[in-house]
Structure formats: C-alpha cells, structure tokens
C-alpha cells in the first residue's frame, strides 16, 4: 500500500499490482497445463480401456509425451511449464526457483490434476481406475524405477532449461520425447508416473490410494538426484543460475 502524499506511491502500487497479476498468471498456467496433461494422458488410458485397446500402449505413451510437448510450447513462457510437483521441487533444489514460489505452484498443479480426473469421471462414469498408476510387481521395484525415470526426466529438463524455464524450440521436443520414452518402457511395470500430481488426481477421484505413496515420494527423490547428477557432470553452472530470481520475481 503506497503512503498518501508520496510522489511515487501510485507507481509503486501499480507495479505491485502488475507483479501480483503476473504471479497469478503463472499459477493459472500451471493449473491449466497440468489439467490438460492429466486429462489427455490418463484420458488415453481410459479410452483405451473402453474401446478394447484402440489407443494401445504405444499410443498412450505418445499421448503423454505429446501433451507435455504442446503444453510447454503453449505455456512455457508464462510459468516455465513445470506441470509436475517433482519438477518444481527439483528446480528449488537446483536453486533455480525460490522456495517461496513452490507452494502455489504445487497447489496449482494438484488442483489441475484433480479437476482433470473429476472431468474424466463425469465423462466415463463406468471407468474404474481413471488411469491411476499402480505397481504391477513388487513395490520396491516400482519405487526404484520411478526414482530412476524421474531422474532421467529431470536431468533432461535441467539440460534444456534456463532458470526455471525451458529454452529454445527444441526444449518441448526433448522433454516430451523423454516422457514418451519412459512411458514406453517403464509404463507396464510402474505406470511411469514421474509426477505426483498426475497420480494424485486419479487416486482421489477413485478412492484407490494403495501404492500412492510411491508416486508421491519417488519422483521427488528422483528429481533431487538429477540435480546432483547435473552438478557432477556440468559443475555448479548447471544449477546455480542467476536468472531464476528474475524469472519468478
């Protein structure tokens, strides 16, 4: 609030309002991007089930990769296109995103994911799992697999991003291809979530919470490990990016 009589009061107030509007744009972008990610990705699983395999496993993996890619192109300049709590926390661990920015990002992402799963429930009331992730084998196997594939994804994201934002036209392609790759080979075993919000939405919408702890914790561990790997390979310059403050001010 500007002090009455101050010569620059109105300007300061206007700038504060503008900064707040920019932040709200980021949060809405994260909610919308995560909504479409979960809606398209888990929607492909649901439609594959109700059409007796018309989408196929390859189609589901490509759907996840493609929706991530197009949402990066559509919203990357607004919010950085995280759409994933593990990615957001990975950027925090890397020093590319201030810790104070993490909570609203996480809330926005989880809200978007839950809204997407509720929408799918309304469209396909007979669907049982709504594309929920669940281990097909031993729990430790899926836990470790989720850590490793999320580490791979986060490592690629760190390599093609500046600050907490993706850079260049190839960023969306590289990240989307990594998501599709991991879904192709790891999906039949762990579900290839790599994203706590993506797993949380269907779990809450269906009430099927068994194994959810794997998908809430393993991706975060994997993202943090990716930061350590990035620093080991590229040195401190990999993560200590000064642009992060400007990106999220």
């Amino acid at each position: 609030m500007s002090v009455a009589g101050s010569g620059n009061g109105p300007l300061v107030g206007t700038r504060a309002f503008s900064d707040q509007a920019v932040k709200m744009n980021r949060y809405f972008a994260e909610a919308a991007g995560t909504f479409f990610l979960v809606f398209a990705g888990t929607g492909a699983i649901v439609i594959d089930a109700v059409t007796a395999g018309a989408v196929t496993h390859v189609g589901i993996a490509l759907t996840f990769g493609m929706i991530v890619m197009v949402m990066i192109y559509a919203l990357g300049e607004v919010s950085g296109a995280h759409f994933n709590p593990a990615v957001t926390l990975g950027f925090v661990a890397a020093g590319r995103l201030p810790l104070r920015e993490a909570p609203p990002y996480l809330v926005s992402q989880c809200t978007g994911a839950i809204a997407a799963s509720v929408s799918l429930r309304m469209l396909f009331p007979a669907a049982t799992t709504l594309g929920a992730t669940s281990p097909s084998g031993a729990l430790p196997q899926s836990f470790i697999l989720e850590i490793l594939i999320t580490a791979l994804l986060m490592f690629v994201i760190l390599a093609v991003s500046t600050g907490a934002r993706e850079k260049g036209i190839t960023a969306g392609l590289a990240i989307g291809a990594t998501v599709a790759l991991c879904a192709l080979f790891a999906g039949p075993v762990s579900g290839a979530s790599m994203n706590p919000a993506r797993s949380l939405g269907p779990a809450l919408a269906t009430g099927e919470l068994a194994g959810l702890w794997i998908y809430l914790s393993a991706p975060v561990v994997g993202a943090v490990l990716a930061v350590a790997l990035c620093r080991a390979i590229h040195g401190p310059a990999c993560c200590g990016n000064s642009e992060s403050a400007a990106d999220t001010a």
Side-chain angles (χ1 to χ4, degrees):
M1 181 73 67
S2 61
V3 178
S6 172
N8 63 352
L11 178 60
V12 172
T14 301
R15 184 181 298 116
F17 176 80
S18 176
D19 291 344
Q20 187 62 31
V22 169
K23 289 183 178 181
M24 292 305 297
N25 288 345
R26 290 174 184 152
Y27 307 149
F28 281 128
E30 284 297 301
T34 310
F35 175 92
F36 287 118
L37 188 162
V38 175
F39 184 78
T42 63
I45 298 174
V46 171
I47 293 172
D48 185 64
V50 301
T51 58
V55 181
T56 74
H57 170 63
V58 173
I60 292 168
L62 291 177
T63 298
F64 272 107
M66 291 173 68
I67 190 60
V68 168
M69 179 183 70
V70 298
M71 285 295 101
I72 287 174
Y73 291 142
L75 299 172
E77 289 297 319
V78 180
S79 68
H82 300 185
F83 314 142
N84 184 337
V87 171
T88 295
L89 294 175
F91 276 131
V92 171
R96 297 192 185 186
L97 185 74
L99 180 59
R100 67 179 182 274
E101 283 293 306
Y105 264 66
L106 302 186
V107 170
S108 299
Q109 292 155 0
C110 291
T111 300
I114 294 169
S117 293
V118 171
S119 298
L120 287 171
R121 167 59 76 202
M122 295 172 62
L123 288 169
F124 302 96
T128 55
T129 65
L130 295 179
T133 44
S134 60
S136 63
L139 296 184
Q141 181 186 57
S142 289
F143 183 77
I144 294 172
L145 191 55
E146 285 293 320
I147 289 175
L148 293 176
I149 60 177
T150 308
L152 170 60
L153 174 62
M154 190 71 207
F155 180 75
V156 172
I157 291 172
L158 289 169
V160 298
S161 62
T162 176
R165 297 173 185 269
E166 287 73 21
K167 63 183 180 184
I169 194 66
T170 59
L173 181 60
I175 297 168
T178 304
V179 170
L181 169 67
C182 293
L184 277 170
F185 79 86
V189 175
S190 70
S193 172
M194 300 170 279
N195 185 336
R198 173 261 179 271
S199 293
L200 181 65
L204 292 182
T206 61
E208 297 293 332
L209 305 180
L212 180 60
W213 66 271
I214 292 175
Y215 305 103
L216 297 182
S217 59
V220 176
V221 175
V224 173
L225 286 177
V227 174
L229 177 63
C230 183
R231 286 175 173 159
I233 294 175
H234 296 291
C238 170
C239 296
N241 197 310
S242 62
E243 292 185 30
S244 60
D247 285 346
T248 58

